[in-house]
Amino acid sequence: AQSVTQLGSHVSVSEGALVLLRCNYSSSVPPYLFWYVQYPNQGLQLLLKYTTGATLVKGINGFEAEFKKSETSFHLTKPSAHMSDAAEYFCAVSRGPGGSNTGKLIFGQGTTLQVKP
Amino acid sequence: SAVISQKPSRDICQRGTSLTIQCQVDSQVTMMFWYRQQPGQSLTLIATANQGSEATYESGFVIDKFPISRPNLTFSTLTVSNMSPEDSSIYLCSARTSGGVSVNEQFFGPGTRLTVL
């Protein structure tokens, strides 16, 4: 079975400050990991993904995340927050290589990012 | 990548009625999924829409309540039957591509915001 835990349902940072959104996963098979962003009244947009290879992955809008197998983590970071980053962020896991790749995504609870001027 | 559209974008319905949501993808995809996002919560997978056969439902979701069709590789419908206020949610369609640089990614539609009175 797979599960995702996002630590902190609400994170508030000042504009220009570091953004750190935490995600821990549980998976009995090697995972694929994803971060999605949801702006108000919109669907989900993929920020970045880890499948295989380099554990530090870079995404859109200056975000990046590092897959740490030993810590079962996939935290999302951005060096300098912008007002336009205010949104809901979801971490998700699916079965990776070697597993029955059904494509199903299991989502975390979501973290609301607030950016203060 | 894949661009996904959904109709309707929102609706207000009376309890006891049914609503069919349409999902159209701009390219052929291997897998399509339906998710529910209840107010203030994360996404929960309802079912995998299988082309030419019955959908695969997740625990807690049944075909009588959420019948799904997928007549071809680019189109699917989800019906929310005999609605009650507890069905008020955003329903999102997603699709997974078969290859290319977007392999293993899921793309999401903008969602259908359903309110049941």
Side-chain angles (χ1 to χ4, degrees):
Chain A
Q2 295 180 305
S3 65
V4 176
T5 301
Q6 291 182 238
L7 299 176
S9 60
H10 191 100
V11 171
S12 181
V13 301
S14 298
E15 190 174 19
L18 171 72
V19 175
L20 171 61
L21 304 182
R22 300 179 186 274
C23 173
N24 287 88
Y25 70 91
S26 172
S27 179
S28 57
V29 298
Y32 290 155
L33 294 158
F34 307 84
W35 275 100
Y36 285 87
V37 61
Q38 185 178 36
Y39 297 101
N41 299 314
Q42 295 188 28
L44 274 71
Q45 180 182 11
L46 182 67
L47 277 177
L48 49 79
K49 66 178 180 180
Y50 168 79
T51 54
T52 58
T55 56
L56 180 63
V57 293
K58 297 184 184 299
I60 62 172
N61 302 339
F63 284 94
E64 62 181 40
E66 186 171 11
F67 170 59
K68 292 186 176 181
K69 183 179 179 180
S70 62
E71 299 178 7
T72 61
S73 69
F74 191 58
H75 301 330
L76 182 70
T77 62
K78 182 175 180 178
S80 176
H82 191 272
M83 296 295 292
S84 61
D85 295 327
E88 186 83 10
Y89 291 80
F90 293 97
C91 182
V93 63
S94 72
R95 285 178 173 272
S100 173
N101 202 343
T102 63
K104 295 191 298 185
L105 286 175
I106 307 299
F107 284 87
Q109 305 92 317
T111 298
T112 301
L113 176 64
Q114 179 187 25
V115 182
K116 297 177 292 187
Chain B
S1 65
V3 177
I4 302 174
S5 59
Q6 287 184 232
K7 289 194 298 187
S9 60
R10 59 178 62 230
D11 207 342
I12 300 174
C13 301
Q14 297 296 321
R15 70 171 65 211
T17 63
S18 298
L19 176 71
T20 296
I21 303 168
Q22 298 180 2
C23 175
Q24 180 72 55
V25 189
D26 70 342
S27 58
Q28 292 187 350
V29 293
T30 54
M31 305 180 84
M32 296 182 72
F33 306 89
W34 287 97
Y35 290 83
R36 180 174 73 182
Q37 186 177 22
Q38 294 177 299
Q41 298 192 27
S42 186
L43 285 79
T44 301
L45 180 64
I46 298 172
T48 302
N50 300 310
Q51 193 263 328
S53 64
E54 192 172 287
T56 304
Y57 290 84
E58 297 300 303
S59 176
F61 298 96
V62 295
I63 187 171
D64 291 344
K65 177 65 176 178
F66 298 102
I68 289 171
S69 77
R70 189 180 172 193
N72 57 51
L73 291 175
T74 64
F75 185 78
S76 177
T77 66
L78 168 74
T79 299
V80 186
S81 303
N82 188 24
M83 289 183 285
S84 66
E86 291 71 34
D87 294 320
S88 297
S89 294
I90 300 172
Y91 292 86
L92 295 107
C93 171
S94 75
R96 184 164 176 253
T97 56
S98 59
V101 297
S102 301
V103 66
N104 298 314
E105 289 183 25
Q106 275 193 35
F107 300 90
F108 284 80
T112 296
R113 186 178 296 271
L114 171 62
T115 301
V116 184
L117 303 177

